[in-house]
Amino acid sequence: MVENNNTKISAKDVDVFYSEKQALNKISMDIKEKEVTALIGPSGCGKSTFLRCINRMNDLIEICKVTGSIKVDNEEIISSSTDVVSLRSKIGMVFQKPNPFPKSIFDNVAYGPSIHGLADTKSDLENIVITSLKKAGLYNEVKDRLNEPGTSLSGGQQQRLCIARAIAVNPEIILMDEPCSALDPIATAIIEELIDELRLNYTIIIVTHSMQQAARVSQKTCFFHLGELIESGETNKIFTNPDNTKTQDYITGRFG
Amino acid sequence: MFFWSIVLILIGIYSSYILGKSRIKKLVYSTNLKPKSQYNYHAQYVLSWCLLPALIVYFSWAIFEEQIIQNLILDSFEYVEGAAYNDGLLLAEIRNVANNTDFSEGKSQEIINAASQYKSLKLTSEISFYISIIIIMVLGSLYAVRKINIQFNAQDTIEKYIKYILIFCSSIAVLTTIGIIFSLIFESFRFFSQVSIFEFLFSTEWYPFIPIREGQAGAEGSFGAVPIFAGTFLVMIVAMCVAAPIGLLTAIYLSEYASQKVRKTVKPLLEILAGIPTIVYGFFAFVTVAPFVKSFGQSIGIDASPTSALAAGLVMGVMIIPFISSLSDDVINSVPQSLREGSLGIGANKAETIKKVILPAALPGIVGAFLLAISRAIGETMIVVVAAGTAANLTANPFENVTTVTVQIVVALIGDQEFDNPRTLSAFALGLVLFVITLSLNVLALRIVKKYRERYE
């Protein structure tokens, strides 16, 4: 494994409130470039909320208020002057439930590049679509039926289509919010392999409920509990020799 | 008769309920066993055996009484040789005399006799009605009381009765619809026996005048419905040109841009538009919009008539805005949030997301909303009567008078009309065609909406 020390995302004192209720309390962490960072913790601990702060997806929720500082490539993103559109084009997101658009497989992947004007000609666009589908490991399965609706694929294929859709706009970071929780074990294994390959080119943050998955795919792990970041560090260390007793209890299955 | 029968039935209901309850209580007390159903159900069982037969008696009396009395009177009426009689008029006269509402002098003896017979028959009928309703309620209750015992499952039986009552109620609506369809078809056949169906559907001349006397010159009626359907279509197009964009954009604003608070206020306000009586829209069209259209037409050099397709269509468009906006808003709202997040997560802005993801996903539902609005616009009458005129012009110029199917139906049925006259009967033929059109539009709309629902739920 190539070690690197470039910090891609740096969060400091991030608080999130839903109306009066505080969901995240003073979260600070650094996320390194081209690594997989797993966010684990019991339900309702705030790991998805934190993930959605990074691409400002929480803006969609009227009652949600985010304070503190998150820097992506040393640029502050928690501010009203942030260009959310360009931020989100730099940060792809894959959701818990596969959510392909009700369009053809081709159009699903071509959606991002065409709204961002990444392709000048039709063949450019085709190239981007095919490359993205290949990177997502889906191309061989769908190359004969690019014009069929994306919703006609199986759940695991749909999720890989969503990954292809996300990488088609050439992001630097990919956020994954429990990407395998709606999939069967075989589809999950395929996606995990894919994550391992994508790590070479992208910074990946993955929220997961499965500790085995976190241990398998990630290099760094952050353990959240009740809106606080309890412990973060090398995945190996967290899963073998955590500092905090709560982490120890969680990974050994004593609660959560 | 109405008041006292209600009182009687209420008394019957009360006493049968008490009777049923005390009966089962007594049984429980004497046998010391637990009954299969609760007391209430036994009481309701007796009650229904009291009430339902009473209602049957009541309604059969209401339906058949007058008919039977009339037949009896006509049978025994002393017809005078040589005089011409009309049964209906005769009966009306007899009834008036019997009720002391006929004040003309010199009633003939046979009428007076018949009137007194009518009165005595009425009295007999009333007495026998009360007696039979009391007897039937008592018999019904007694039968039910005898059936009550500890083992009797009254709850199940009541459940069954409720089911029958519900089936009966829902079948009324269905039967009424079937009845309406049949009367339409039947009257239309009478029309088409006088006017050829091809002339009706394909000829472009609509002059529904019928010669008053044999051989009158230049007054041959002509029943080509094409101008009428063209007029309907024109008004509908104008209305949709107004309502489709405004309604759809309103829906997009409400579902995607407006805050919860705005949405909660604006949506009901919009729906009030749907509650305004259409004749009020008619006033508005006639008093405000039509003169405006006329002067606007003059200012751009078009000779507009005082009532026009444009005036009617514009106002009708306003009327159906809430249909489109409200239904489309529901449809857009039911597009899963995950699609919005997916699109925004790639870095699309709101307008791109709406245009490229949400509207295509909601399209079938929106089309369904449009079709419902269109069928509403086609069926609308009052605005067009007041604001578009009644002349059947075959024109595509919205500044001219046009007429629609519903307006022609109104015109054909207003005033003294004979029912063997094709002018009157044309209303039914028009109604039948209108019915077929709106029905198929509704079916189509519902199908599209249903298909859309299946995809996301």
Coordinates of all heavy atoms in Angstrom, one line a residue, chain B residues 20-35 39 42 145-152:
Chain B
G20 N -84.5 -7.4 22.1 CA -83.4 -8.3 21.8 C -82.4 -8.4 22.9 O -81.9 -9.5 23.3
K21 N -82.1 -7.2 23.5 CA -81.1 -7.2 24.5 C -81.6 -7.9 25.8 O -80.9 -8.7 26.4 CB -80.8 -5.7 24.9 CG -79.5 -5.6 25.6 CD -79.0 -4.1 25.5 CE -77.5 -4.0 25.9 NZ -77.0 -2.7 25.5
S22 N -82.9 -7.6 26.2 CA -83.4 -8.2 27.4 C -83.5 -9.7 27.2 O -83.3 -10.5 28.1 CB -84.7 -7.6 27.8 OG -85.7 -7.9 26.7
R23 N -83.8 -10.1 26.0 CA -84.0 -11.6 25.7 C -82.7 -12.3 26.0 O -82.6 -13.3 26.7 CB -84.4 -11.8 24.2 CG -84.4 -13.2 23.7 CD -85.5 -14.0 24.2 NE -85.4 -15.3 23.8 CZ -86.1 -16.3 24.3 NH1 -87.0 -16.1 25.3 NH2 -86.0 -17.6 23.8
I24 N -81.6 -11.8 25.4 CA -80.3 -12.5 25.5 C -79.8 -12.4 27.0 O -79.3 -13.4 27.5 CB -79.2 -12.0 24.5 CG1 -77.9 -12.8 24.6 CG2 -78.9 -10.5 24.7 CD1 -78.0 -14.2 24.2
K25 N -80.1 -11.3 27.6 CA -79.7 -11.2 29.0 C -80.4 -12.2 29.9 O -79.8 -12.9 30.7 CB -80.0 -9.8 29.6 CG -79.0 -8.7 29.3 CD -79.3 -7.5 30.0 CE -78.2 -6.4 29.7 NZ -78.6 -5.1 30.1
K26 N -81.7 -12.4 29.6 CA -82.5 -13.3 30.4 C -81.9 -14.7 30.2 O -81.7 -15.5 31.1 CB -83.9 -13.3 29.9 CG -84.9 -13.4 30.9 CD -86.2 -13.3 30.2 CE -87.5 -13.0 30.9 NZ -88.5 -12.6 29.9
L27 N -81.6 -15.0 28.9 CA -81.1 -16.4 28.6 C -79.8 -16.6 29.3 O -79.5 -17.7 29.9 CB -80.8 -16.5 27.1 CG -82.0 -16.8 26.2 CD1 -81.6 -16.8 24.8 CD2 -82.6 -18.2 26.6
V28 N -78.9 -15.6 29.3 CA -77.6 -15.7 30.0 C -77.8 -16.0 31.5 O -77.2 -16.8 32.1 CB -76.8 -14.5 29.7 CG1 -75.5 -14.5 30.6 CG2 -76.4 -14.4 28.3
Y29 N -78.8 -15.2 32.0 CA -79.1 -15.3 33.5 C -79.6 -16.7 33.8 O -79.1 -17.3 34.8 CB -80.1 -14.2 33.8 CG -80.4 -14.1 35.3 CD1 -79.5 -13.5 36.2 CD2 -81.6 -14.6 35.8 CE1 -79.7 -13.5 37.5 CE2 -81.8 -14.6 37.1 CZ -80.9 -14.0 38.0 OH -81.2 -13.9 39.3
S30 N -80.5 -17.2 33.0 CA -81.1 -18.4 33.3 C -80.2 -19.6 33.1 O -80.3 -20.6 33.8 CB -82.4 -18.6 32.6 OG -82.2 -18.6 31.2
T31 N -79.4 -19.6 32.1 CA -78.5 -20.7 31.8 C -77.1 -20.6 32.4 O -76.4 -21.6 32.6 CB -78.3 -20.9 30.3 OG1 -77.7 -19.7 29.8 CG2 -79.6 -21.2 29.6
N32 N -76.8 -19.3 32.8 CA -75.5 -19.1 33.4 C -74.3 -19.5 32.4 O -73.3 -20.0 32.9 CB -75.4 -19.8 34.7 CG -74.5 -19.0 35.7 OD1 -74.1 -17.9 35.3 ND2 -74.3 -19.5 36.9
L33 N -74.6 -19.3 31.1 CA -73.5 -19.6 30.2 C -73.0 -18.3 29.5 O -73.7 -17.3 29.5 CB -74.1 -20.5 29.1 CG -74.3 -22.0 29.5 CD1 -75.2 -22.6 28.4 CD2 -73.0 -22.7 29.7
K34 N -71.8 -18.4 28.9 CA -71.3 -17.2 28.2 C -71.9 -17.2 26.8 O -71.8 -18.2 26.1 CB -69.8 -17.3 28.1 CG -69.2 -16.0 27.8 CD -67.7 -16.1 27.9 CE -67.0 -14.8 27.5 NZ -67.3 -14.4 26.1
P35 N -72.6 -16.2 26.3 CA -73.1 -16.2 25.0 C -72.0 -16.1 23.9 O -70.9 -15.6 24.2 CB -74.0 -14.9 25.0 CG -73.4 -14.0 26.0 CD -72.8 -14.9 27.0
Y39 N -74.1 -8.9 23.9 CA -75.5 -8.5 24.0 C -75.9 -7.6 22.8 O -76.9 -7.7 22.2 CB -75.8 -7.7 25.3 CG -75.6 -8.5 26.5 CD1 -75.3 -7.9 27.7 CD2 -75.7 -9.9 26.5 CE1 -75.1 -8.7 28.9 CE2 -75.5 -10.7 27.6 CZ -75.2 -10.1 28.8 OH -75.0 -10.8 29.9
H42 N -76.8 -9.2 19.5 CA -78.1 -9.8 19.5 C -79.2 -8.7 19.4 O -80.2 -8.9 18.6 CB -78.3 -10.6 20.8 CG -77.5 -11.8 20.9 ND1 -77.9 -13.0 20.3 CD2 -76.3 -12.1 21.6 CE1 -77.0 -13.9 20.5 NE2 -76.0 -13.4 21.3
V145 N -86.3 -12.8 17.7 CA -86.1 -13.1 19.1 C -86.1 -14.6 19.3 O -85.4 -15.1 20.1 CB -87.3 -12.4 19.9 CG1 -87.4 -13.0 21.3 CG2 -87.0 -10.9 20.0
R146 N -87.0 -15.3 18.6 CA -87.0 -16.7 18.7 C -85.7 -17.4 18.3 O -85.3 -18.5 18.8 CB -88.1 -17.3 17.9 CG -89.5 -17.3 18.6 CD -90.6 -17.8 17.6 NE -90.2 -19.1 17.0 CZ -90.6 -20.2 17.5 NH1 -91.3 -20.2 18.6 NH2 -90.3 -21.4 16.9
K147 N -85.0 -16.7 17.4 CA -83.7 -17.3 16.9 C -82.6 -17.1 17.9 O -81.5 -17.8 17.8 CB -83.3 -16.8 15.6 CG -84.1 -17.5 14.4 CD -83.4 -17.3 13.1 CE -82.2 -18.1 13.0 NZ -81.7 -18.2 11.6
I148 N -82.7 -16.1 18.8 CA -81.7 -15.8 19.7 C -81.5 -17.0 20.7 O -82.5 -17.5 21.3 CB -82.0 -14.6 20.5 CG1 -81.8 -13.3 19.6 CG2 -81.1 -14.4 21.7 CD1 -82.1 -12.1 20.3
N149 N -80.3 -17.5 20.9 CA -79.9 -18.3 22.0 C -78.5 -18.2 22.3 O -77.7 -17.4 21.6 CB -80.3 -19.8 21.7 CG -79.6 -20.3 20.5 OD1 -78.4 -20.2 20.4 ND2 -80.3 -20.9 19.5
I150 N -78.0 -18.9 23.3 CA -76.6 -18.7 23.8 C -75.6 -19.0 22.6 O -74.6 -18.3 22.5 CB -76.4 -19.6 25.0 CG1 -77.3 -19.2 26.1 CG2 -74.9 -19.5 25.4 CD1 -77.0 -17.9 26.8
Q151 N -76.0 -20.0 21.9 CA -75.0 -20.5 20.8 C -75.1 -19.6 19.6 O -74.2 -19.7 18.7 CB -75.4 -22.0 20.4 CG -75.0 -23.0 21.5 CD -73.6 -22.9 21.8 OE1 -72.7 -22.9 20.9 NE2 -73.2 -22.9 23.1
F152 N -76.1 -18.8 19.4 CA -76.3 -18.1 18.2 C -75.2 -17.0 18.0 O -74.9 -16.2 18.9 CB -77.7 -17.4 18.2 CG -78.0 -16.6 17.0 CD1 -78.0 -17.2 15.8 CD2 -78.3 -15.2 17.1 CE1 -78.2 -16.5 14.6 CE2 -78.6 -14.5 15.9 CZ -78.5 -15.1 14.7

